[in-house]
Amino acid sequence: MCLIVVLTYLNERLDTSALSELKPLRKFSEFVTPDELKRCHRLICLDYQLIDFVASYQEACTIEELKGHISINILKIVLKNENWKSLSTSLARIFAAKPHSADVERLISCYNIMKTSRRISLTPETIKDSLHIRINMVTVNNFNPEPAVLLWLNKKDRHSKKHTKATQQEYFEGVFPEAKRQKNQNLSEVNRIMF
């Protein structure tokens, strides 16, 4: 009875239709069509060239040691061949898939830390962007800020608000010469009106 409840829950809650497209990576087979490999590539290793993935898969099908269901031992054999980088990465990604909710719990924890009573004015878009960066960002050692800085520098309208009263503040006199000139003009005008 318990197994039926679990299966019903999984069928109702999880979209397993995409997982059927990863069927070629369960067992190497010469009978897998190029369309099946293309769909599999789109799901698991889009960051590699399709032709590399298909060629490495077809080569792996010809090796006798790799017959049978994919296992860690088969992954170790595939990892030894440097030309099969896309195939070995795909298999490693399948083995590394997490069947638990740790990532979701980590995301909720980050949200609770970020959205406090003092930060109630954060918009949903800001929170979404901040959480995306927090979860997906590379480590600081590997982060290259140059593209973001160049994008910001090339943006024409970086600060849209003009502060017209800023130069009239007293503390600007020692910093900006135009503020001192403006004050002298104002004083001379006041003196002219009063006398």
Side-chain angles (χ1 to χ4, degrees), residues 183-195:
K183 185 177 180 186
N184 289 340
Q185 287 174 355
N186 289 344
L187 283 175
S188 64
E189 194 172 312
V190 168
N191 287 337
R192 187 178 50 85
I193 292 173
M194 300 237 345
F195 300 111

Side-chain angles (χ1 to χ4, degrees), residues 44-45 47-48 75 78-79 84-94:
I44 198 80
C45 64
D47 49 336
Y48 289 97
L75 176 61
V78 172
L79 282 170
W84 295 353
K85 184 78 172 155
S86 59
L87 183 61
S88 61
T89 302
S90 302
L91 293 175
R93 287 176 180 170
I94 288 175

Side-chain angles (χ1 to χ4, degrees), residues 62-108:
T62 61
I63 297 175
E64 192 62 37
E65 294 177 307
L66 301 179
K67 299 291 182 190
H69 288 284
I70 304 297
S71 64
I72 297 292
N73 294 332
I74 289 179
L75 176 61
K76 288 177 184 177
I77 295 169
V78 172
L79 282 170
K80 290 178 184 175
N81 191 332
E82 292 180 17
N83 296 329
W84 295 353
K85 184 78 172 155
S86 59
L87 183 61
S88 61
T89 302
S90 302
L91 293 175
R93 287 176 180 170
I94 288 175
F95 282 118
K98 300 174 186 172
H100 51 75
S101 61
D103 290 335
V104 175
E105 291 170 12
R106 188 175 298 115
L107 186 65
I108 292 169

